[in-house]
Amino acid sequence: MNLRRYFLVLAMSLVLSPAVTQAAESGLNIEVWKSPTCGCCKEWIKHLTENGFTVTAYDVGNNAARATLGMPRKFGSCHTGLINGYVIEGHVPASDIKRLLASRPDAIGLTVPGMPIGSPGMDGPMYEGQQDPYEVLLIDQKKESSVFNRYHYDK
């Protein structure tokens, strides 16, 4: 992690957390900034906990977190996470977060822009099995994207 990024992560912990956290190097501990009324955010957090993550959620919205952590707004969604120095924006599957942590690329993090139906948290009974195709994007240090994974595309 470069020095600038380290200080951004530290600042986020001091400014938005009630106490300094260990998110920078803490395994599957993730901090999540979200709206207190967002149901799909709660469902995404449930998906993470069911897949071995420990989640600390802050019900303060996510615009400030996204901006401070360096995730471009054009890749935005309804919640922003921070794990081991990586930003996780939107409905990213737990398996992709684990793959990111295992491969440790020089990147800002992962995003699923928007709120595609069928992604974790957007897959409840109200959607009756609907599936939008979507991509998980890797955002590099230049704030450019590349496809990290694809879901529900015809082969």
Side-chain angles (χ1 to χ4, degrees), residues 60-122:
V60 296
N62 71 319
N63 288 332
R66 183 186 322 115
T68 301
L69 294 171
M71 179 62 71
R73 186 177 187 158
K74 69 180 179 179
F75 298 119
S77 187
C78 56
H79 52 266
T80 303
L82 178 65
I83 184 167
N84 294 357
Y86 288 108
V87 181
I88 307 298
E89 181 73 22
H91 295 271
V92 177
S95 58
D96 288 322
I97 299 170
K98 289 177 180 179
R99 186 175 137 216
L100 174 79
L101 296 174
S103 62
R104 303 290 306 163
D106 184 21
I108 293 171
L110 296 176
T111 183
V112 172
M115 300 167 60
I117 295 173
S119 61
M122 294 293 296

Side-chain angles (χ1 to χ4, degrees), residues 36-153:
T37 60
C38 183
C40 68
C41 296
K42 292 174 188 171
E43 290 300 313
W44 182 70
I45 288 171
K46 181 180 173 186
H47 164 77
L48 292 181
T49 59
E50 290 172 349
N51 284 279
F53 289 80
T54 300
V55 180
T56 302
Y58 306 106
D59 290 338
V60 296
N62 71 319
N63 288 332
R66 183 186 322 115
T68 301
L69 294 171
M71 179 62 71
R73 186 177 187 158
K74 69 180 179 179
F75 298 119
S77 187
C78 56
H79 52 266
T80 303
L82 178 65
I83 184 167
N84 294 357
Y86 288 108
V87 181
I88 307 298
E89 181 73 22
H91 295 271
V92 177
S95 58
D96 288 322
I97 299 170
K98 289 177 180 179
R99 186 175 137 216
L100 174 79
L101 296 174
S103 62
R104 303 290 306 163
D106 184 21
I108 293 171
L110 296 176
T111 183
V112 172
M115 300 167 60
I117 295 173
S119 61
M122 294 293 296
D123 54 355
M126 69 172 35
Y127 299 109
E128 300 178 22
Q130 297 175 38
Q131 299 287 320
D132 289 339
Y134 69 95
E135 296 176 331
V136 177
L137 303 176
L138 179 72
I139 309 303
D140 66 22
Q141 295 297 340
K142 295 178 183 176
K143 300 186 178 188
E144 295 175 358
S145 67
S146 61
V147 175
F148 191 77
N149 208 348
R150 284 191 167 99
Y151 291 88
H152 311 298
Y153 282 85

